[in-house]
């Protein structure tokens, strides 16, 4: 690693620290993706927590934690919840 590359890396680490502390960083765009309202999504399907959890492939305790905002769904779970939010009938396609 040459000196220029090291300086760029050091600057990026400093920028990351500023960003993590909530400070503005030049040239960085921040996108806010609101958490899904898991309880509202499930209630629109008319399913119990146990059945809904089974259909989306998570443990009922995980679903309860999402609904009570103790844990945030991430990655594929967020995508699946968005699909169910937009099309609740999609669940029937998962397990009939």
């Amino acid at each position: 690693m040459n000196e220029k590359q090291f300086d760029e890396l050091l600057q990026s680490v400093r920028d990351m620290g500023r960003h993590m502390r909530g400070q503005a960083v030049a040239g960085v765009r921040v996108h806010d993706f609101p958490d899904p309202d898991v309880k509202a999504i499930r209630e629109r399907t008319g399913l119990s927590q146990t059945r809904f959890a089974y259909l989306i492939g998570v443990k009922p305790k995980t679903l309860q934690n999402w609904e009570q905002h103790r844990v945030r769904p991430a990655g594929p779970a967020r995508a699946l919840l968005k699909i169910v939010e937009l099309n609740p009938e999609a669940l029937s396609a998962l397990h009939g």
Side-chain angles (χ1 to χ4, degrees):
M1 174 181 299
N2 66 36
E3 189 172 335
K4 181 180 180 219
Q5 291 170 324
F6 178 79
D7 290 341
E8 289 173 354
L9 180 60
L10 184 59
Q11 184 60 47
S12 69
V13 170
R14 288 179 177 148
D15 288 344
M16 180 183 64
R18 284 188 204 89
H19 176 71
M20 291 179 71
R21 289 187 298 274
Q23 301 170 346
V25 178
V28 173
R29 291 182 287 167
V30 177
H31 300 279
D32 182 32
F33 296 100
D35 289 334
D37 186 345
V38 179
K39 185 174 183 176
I41 294 168
R42 178 186 59 79
E43 287 177 342
R44 268 183 256 137
T45 68
L47 298 171
S48 68
Q49 286 182 331
T50 302
R51 183 70 178 150
F52 187 86
Y54 170 76
L55 289 174
I56 65 169
V58 299
K59 294 179 180 179
K61 187 67 175 171
T62 299
L63 180 66
Q64 291 168 2
N65 285 330
W66 291 347
E67 288 189 1
Q68 295 171 11
H69 306 284
R70 287 191 293 253
V71 179
R72 297 172 54 189
R78 288 178 74 101
L80 181 55
L81 288 165
K82 186 65 174 175
I83 291 167
V84 173
E85 180 179 30
L86 296 173
N87 181 13
E89 295 80 29
L91 284 178
S92 62
L94 293 175
H95 292 280

